[in-house]
């Protein structure tokens, strides 16, 4: 959408001559993350190749998030291109998983003109794999769904490189997620290390982290009044950097790390904006700055577009960050 590529054209984002991410149409032609550019184009000669641009991706994805949120409150952005939400609400409202998925796909297409895919499963990892296949996995069936899939599925995330671990598992003959899941957890920890333990949990259909979350105290929220209000992304990013550093100092003082970040703003027109970013790993200061910058860029771009047609919400006058979910740093 950001590059004005029609949704029926296969598209891939290529970094360092390898495919970082690709559309469903491209995957249908055999394109996969990690392929060299030449091999991807050999499999799909009409492939449209784009450079990576996280700011562009987040800016273009915001209308999709807003469209989903109109039908299903509680949307969490995992990264530009992927949102997560609890299935129980939409499934109950629309009378089943298939009906809910179709409603969300139609909603996004009507509001934004782009195609999306929906998957349902126990846990985010399995749900993402189900979405890539357009499947709804019944409750309790997630381990069986994951078992025949290749261990290469552990190395599909754009910001996590597990190529060495996947290569090692393949050399050891552990070619499927089921084969990895069948190993003893203590053996995995002693032989492969911490990231393999997390992957072992994913392969078994479990949450990436044990349930050690706690409700963050209200005093962890940090905020700033922007005087004068900002309507430029560079100015907003400067404010976001200082606010992110304050948040992490505050969290460190309580021995905590943030795994779900709430970004909120108030505009000069009085509109309050809020978005939650869900993180597979505890956020670093740099990761927090990136997400705040992406979100502000998306909001300010929308404000300018709205203002061009009517009285838009305008500049941002107040910004605050809320650690919606934290984990004890010592438990990671």
């Amino acid at each position: 959408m950001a590059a004005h590529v029609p949704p029926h054209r296969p598209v891939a984002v290529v970094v360092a001559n390898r495919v970082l991410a690709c559309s469903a149409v491209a995957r249908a032609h055999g394109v996969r993350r990690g392929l060299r550019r030449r091999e991807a184009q050999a499999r799909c000669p009409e492939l449209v190749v784009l450079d990576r641009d996280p700011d562009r991706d987040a800016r273009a994805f915001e209308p999709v998030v807003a469209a989903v949120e109109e039908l299903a409150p509680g949307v969490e952005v995992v990264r530009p291109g992927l949102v997560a939400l609890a299935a129980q609400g939409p499934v109950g409202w629309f009378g089943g998983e298939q009906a809910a998925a179709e409603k969300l796909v139609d909603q996004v297409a009507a509001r934004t003109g782009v195609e999306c895919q929906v998957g349902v499963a126990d846990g985010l990892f399995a749900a993402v794999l189900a979405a890539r296949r357009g499947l709804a996995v019944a409750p309790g069936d997630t381990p069986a769904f994951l078992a025949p899939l290749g261990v290469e599925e552990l190395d599909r995330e754009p910001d996590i490189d597990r190529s060495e671990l996947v290569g090692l598992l393949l050399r050891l003959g552990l070619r499927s997620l089921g084969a990895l899941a069948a190993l003893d957890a203590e053996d995995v920890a002693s032989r492969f290390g911490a990231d393999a333990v997390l992957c072992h949990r994913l392969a078994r259909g479990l949450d990436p982290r044990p349930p050690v979350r706690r409700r963050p105290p209200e005093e962890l929220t940090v905020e700033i009044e922007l005087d004068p209000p900002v309507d430029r992304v560079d100015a907003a990013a400067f404010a976001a950097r200082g606010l992110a550093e304050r948040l992490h100092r505050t969290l460190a003082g309580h021995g905590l790390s943030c795994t779900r970040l709430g970004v909120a703003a108030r505009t000069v027109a009085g509109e309050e904006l809020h978005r939650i970013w869900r993180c597979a790993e505890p956020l670093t200061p740099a990761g927090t700055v990136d997400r705040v910058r992406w979100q502000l860029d998306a909001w300010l771009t929308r404000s300018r577009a709205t203002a061009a047609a009517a009285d838009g919400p305008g500049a941002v006058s107040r910004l605050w960050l809320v650690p919606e979910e934290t984990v004890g740093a010592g438990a990671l």
Side-chain angles (χ1 to χ4, degrees):
M1 180 175 68
H4 306 291
V5 179
H8 67 274
R9 293 288 304 279
V11 181
V13 176
V14 174
V15 176
N17 210 36
R18 288 188 179 273
V19 175
L20 178 69
C22 56
S23 66
V25 179
R27 287 195 293 273
H29 285 79
V31 179
R32 294 290 184 271
R33 181 178 186 268
L35 285 181
R36 291 191 177 278
R37 175 173 179 161
R38 180 173 296 180
E39 183 178 354
Q41 291 175 318
R43 295 186 181 188
C44 182
E46 63 271 29
L47 185 68
V48 177
V49 176
L50 301 177
D51 294 328
R52 188 185 189 191
D53 185 345
D55 292 349
R56 173 203 64 199
D57 295 344
R59 186 167 56 249
F61 191 53
E62 175 63 20
V64 176
V65 182
V68 174
E69 198 169 39
E70 289 180 12
L71 291 184
V75 173
E76 299 179 5
V77 182
V78 180
R79 63 173 184 269
L82 177 63
V83 296
L85 62 152
Q88 184 175 7
V91 167
W93 297 329
F94 300 117
E97 294 171 349
Q98 187 65 32
E102 292 175 355
K103 191 72 174 179
L104 288 169
V105 170
D106 291 344
Q107 168 80 358
V108 171
R111 291 287 190 271
T112 67
V114 300
E115 181 182 356
C116 72
Q117 292 181 271
V118 178
V120 182
D122 298 328
L124 180 61
F125 174 70
V128 172
L129 298 185
R132 289 172 179 160
R133 294 160 175 80
L135 298 175
V137 181
D141 288 351
T142 291
F145 162 67
L146 293 174
L149 302 181
V151 292
E152 294 89 349
E153 298 293 351
L154 296 167
D155 191 32
R156 304 296 192 204
E157 295 302 306
D159 297 319
I160 302 175
D161 183 2
R162 294 196 174 111
S163 56
E164 290 189 11
L165 174 61
V166 168
L168 176 59
L169 294 176
L170 292 173
R171 290 194 298 274
L172 293 174
L174 299 169
R175 299 188 175 278
S176 69
L177 294 177
L180 174 60
L183 299 179
D184 183 86
E186 292 185 0
D187 291 341
V188 172
S190 61
R191 176 70 183 273
F192 301 110
D195 190 51
V197 172
L198 183 148
C199 290
H200 184 245
R201 292 185 62 84
L202 295 178
R204 295 163 62 198
L206 301 177
D207 190 271
R209 293 182 299 272
V212 295
R213 301 177 182 85
R214 62 183 73 177
R215 176 176 289 276
E218 292 184 3
E219 63 266 21
L220 295 181
T221 297
V222 295
E223 60 183 274
I224 185 173
E225 295 289 339
L226 301 174
D227 186 17
V230 300
D231 59 0
R232 300 194 331 272
V233 175
D234 56 348
F238 180 79
R241 185 173 296 106
L243 202 58
E245 291 172 354
R246 279 175 52 197
L247 174 64
H248 281 269
R249 285 197 301 268
T250 302
L251 290 172
H254 287 76
L256 299 174
S257 294
C258 179
T259 51
R260 288 171 68 240
L261 175 69
V263 182
R266 179 181 293 128
T267 70
V268 293
E271 181 182 5
E272 289 201 357
L273 308 168
H274 186 256
R275 184 73 71 229
I276 293 178
W277 287 76
R278 178 187 179 117
C279 313
E281 299 291 335
L283 278 170
T284 63
T288 300
V289 171
D290 284 343
R291 285 158 178 79
V292 178
R293 188 184 72 253
W294 295 339
Q295 192 59 64
L296 288 172
D297 188 1
W299 282 336
L300 290 172
T301 300
R302 189 187 72 179
S303 294
R304 288 192 293 269
T306 305
D311 293 330
V316 172
S317 60
R318 180 171 176 257
L319 176 65
W320 64 102
L321 305 181
V322 184
E324 300 280 354
E325 177 183 87
T326 60
V327 295
L332 298 178

